[in-house]
Amino acid sequence: MAPRFAITAEPLDVAALLATAQQLHDLLARDRNIEGPGAVILFVGVVRGRHQGQEVRALTYEAYTPLAVASFERIAAEAGVRVADAVLCIHHRIGTLEVGEPSVVIAAVAAHRGEAYAVSRFAIERIKQITPVWKREVLVDGASWVEGATVDPDAPEPLADAWSRTCP
Amino acid sequence: MPVTVLLFAGLREIVGAGELSRPIEAAATVDAVWRDLRDHWPALTPYGPSLTCAVNAQYAPMSSPVQDGDEVAFLPPVSGG
């Protein structure tokens, strides 16, 4: 089984993460005597070739690995507060990625589609808010770090915002 | 008394290193470590208001105490996904 949460310099194995998530939900369902996996949502973020009108050659990602993995654990726990009995697995790539390569994979598994879609969307919104990963865009005419959200994992507003995007 | 400072992304590029050892005084805080860095690399200054800090891989406010051997990380705004 693949680890549930990882930061890795290796190409992401989408199929392996999906299989792990499904297996984990099967185990959880047996343990809790509830319905097993019935819906698997796989989100794959890939390097986009054009961003805000500029051609992107590649993206270079770096992470603070221990805290990034801890953020994935936190996101899964936060998801569990609203959506019980779902399984989330998250792997994020670091290093230099070409256009089209997966940078993040989220496998969300639940008994039914509603819960699986919800935790999948919640996870990617929350990753963008709190996970210590940074990307540097390599454009045709130079490179620069993309600076998104200031991390404040305990702030209630971003958390509420992530849920509002999840369940509009 | 040294601490290990970790810097990422734009911060790392300004300083030219992702990890460095910095001396601290007794009863120092994360904020004191940051001010020392900022004094040596003034280009870091604009990052001050948007920073997040961690001590030994746990999020920590700027007022947190730091001790000999601690790992103090300064995180600029994130952009994963």
Side-chain angles (χ1 to χ4, degrees):
Chain A
M1 251 202 290
R4 264 186 89 181
F5 307 113
I7 297 288
T8 176
E10 301 297 315
L12 296 173
D13 187 341
V14 174
L17 196 63
L18 189 153
T20 294
Q22 197 167 342
Q23 253 178 301
L24 287 172
H25 191 276
D26 192 47
L27 292 170
L28 175 109
R30 287 166 195 273
D31 186 48
R32 296 185 186 170
N33 194 26
I34 54 170
E35 291 177 311
V40 180
I41 302 296
L42 194 61
F43 174 85
V44 183
V46 302
V47 176
R48 192 163 50 229
R50 229 178 131 75
H51 182 59
Q52 294 176 345
Q54 291 201 281
E55 191 184 332
V56 175
R57 291 226 165 128
L59 292 180
T60 301
Y61 286 91
E62 69 179 54
Y64 184 20
T65 298
L67 210 46
V69 171
S71 81
F72 296 156
E73 289 163 1
R74 180 188 178 106
I75 290 165
E78 288 174 345
V81 171
R82 283 243 195 146
V83 181
D85 306 326
V87 165
L88 261 178
C89 294
I90 307 169
H91 286 196
H92 202 302
R93 178 104 182 261
I94 51 172
T96 298
L97 280 68
E98 304 294 321
V99 170
E101 279 195 272
S103 55
V104 59
V105 178
I106 300 169
V109 183
H112 299 278
R113 64 187 180 280
E115 289 83 356
Y117 271 114
V119 296
S120 171
R121 181 69 196 266
F122 173 76
I124 187 62
E125 297 300 336
R126 209 64 183 126
I127 286 167
K128 286 177 172 288
Q129 292 175 344
I130 69 167
T131 298
V133 169
W134 298 270
K135 63 173 154 246
R136 183 178 167 84
E137 278 183 336
V138 183
L139 306 171
V140 178
D141 55 354
S144 61
W145 289 100
V146 180
E147 287 170 2
T150 296
V151 177
D152 186 357
D154 294 322
E157 298 85 0
L159 178 63
D161 183 62
W163 279 120
S164 75
R165 286 164 190 264
T166 301
C167 312
Chain B
M1 278 210 329
V3 292
T4 301
V5 172
L6 300 182
L7 299 168
F8 298 91
L11 304 179
R12 179 173 55 71
E13 289 198 342
I14 289 168
V15 171
E19 183 175 331
L20 58 164
S21 181
R22 298 298 295 175
I24 54 163
E25 290 174 6
T29 60
V30 174
D31 190 48
V33 177
W34 174 249
R35 280 187 277 111
D36 165 65
L37 290 173
R38 206 187 49 191
D39 290 347
H40 281 79
W41 292 277
L44 292 172
T45 307
Y47 281 96
S50 56
L51 274 187
T52 303
C53 313
V55 177
N56 300 328
Q58 302 278 342
Y59 293 109
M62 287 295 249
S63 56
S64 304
V66 292
Q67 293 175 357
D68 190 22
D70 278 351
E71 182 182 271
V72 183
F74 293 102
L75 316 176
V78 297
S79 53

